Each structure stands twice: as C-alpha cells, then as structure tokens.
Amino acid sequence: GVPGENAGVVVVFRLEAGDWIAEATIEASGVEPGSAFGSSLALNADADIAAIGAPGDETSVGRTGSVRVFRRVGIEWAEEAMLVPADDQLGGRFGASVALDRFGMRALIGVPEDRLVFDPYGEVPTGSARVFLRGSDGWTEEATLGPTTPVGWDQIGVPAALDATGDRAFVASAGGLRVYRRDGTSWTEEAMLRGTPDWYGMSTNAA
C-alpha cells in the first residue's frame, strides 16, 4: 500500500523465478487526496480477493472511511464492493485495519475512533471492529465488536485479525487483546489477553 500517493494506491508484486515483479497497480474509484487508500490491506488464501482500507475516505455522508474489495482474474484486479459503516459514524477512521478469513467470506474492519463517550475532557472515541459477511447479494454488516461498557481512548480495532475459518476475531485495544468467538452470525467475547506494557496487543495475527 502507498497511502500517501495522492489518494493512495496499492502495488501488487508477483514472485517469478526468484525475482519479484510488479504485476498490477490497484486504484479505487472516487477516492480523493487524503483518503489514505492502502493504509491497510488483506488477502484471502487464494490471493484473488483483496480488502483495502481507506480510513480517510469521504463517502456520501461525510468522512467515514471505507474498505474497497477487489477481485483478481488472471493479473487483472476489478473493484467488487465498497464497504462503509452501517451507522455512518463520521471521523471513525473505518478501515484503519482490515482482515479476511481464508475464503474471503468475512472481513474484520477496525474503526479506532468510533463510538464516542464522555470523560472529563469531553467527548472522546473508544473504537470498535466491524464484521462484514459476503453473500449472494453482496456484503452486509454482521456485527459490531467492542466492550459492553466503552472506555474513552481505548483505540479498539487497530490492529485486528481473523483466524483462517473466520470463527474467531482478535481485536486489539489499549487495555489488551480481546478474543471473540462466532456462533452462526453471533459474536461473543471469549477472552481478554493482558500483559505489560499497557499497550499490549498493538500488533496481532492469527492462523
């Protein structure tokens, strides 16, 4: 990803005979300077579906951020969908992180400045992670992951990871790493992994 290149681009490289060759440049439709397209990205196991975050993207309701989904046929990438938060949360930086399961059926998207709460300094964000599911009619928002009682500046959702089957989600926050488990289309918090220092969980991955 090259998010600082005007609106941002993503360059795809292919390994061929021991050398890495630039195969394609992916650009999103309708993005403007400041969209930060390419700030985050994820591929499915077959490397034919890419989800690419643009947390500064200005959508029809304002600067919510977005995630663009692309599908590869041969060496050509075509934009398939634009994912945006169902509640139109402005300034949430939707797409600051993104993860896909191995099949490219579920996407986990970090929104670190989502869900405003009040503290002594005024209205501050706590963050969340959104789950999207791909079906026959396209992508729909399945769930919002985050604590029942939000805490300001928790920075939930960056980074975030899905396991290969899309049954568990790992969502970082300032207080630790939250683990969520899926039952059908319902998600429940399974564990909170803590450590030191306080910013434990600011990188994560899953297999």
Side-chain angles (χ1 to χ4, degrees), residues 18 51-52 85 98 109 194:
I52 304 173
V98 63
I109 299 167
R194 300 180 186 273

Side-chain angles (χ1 to χ4, degrees), residues 83-107:
L83 309 184
V84 296
D87 57 3
D88 297 330
Q89 173 69 60
L90 297 178
R93 296 184 60 235
F94 178 91
S97 67
V98 63
L100 288 172
D101 67 10
R102 65 183 296 181
F103 310 107
M105 294 296 294
R106 274 188 172 81

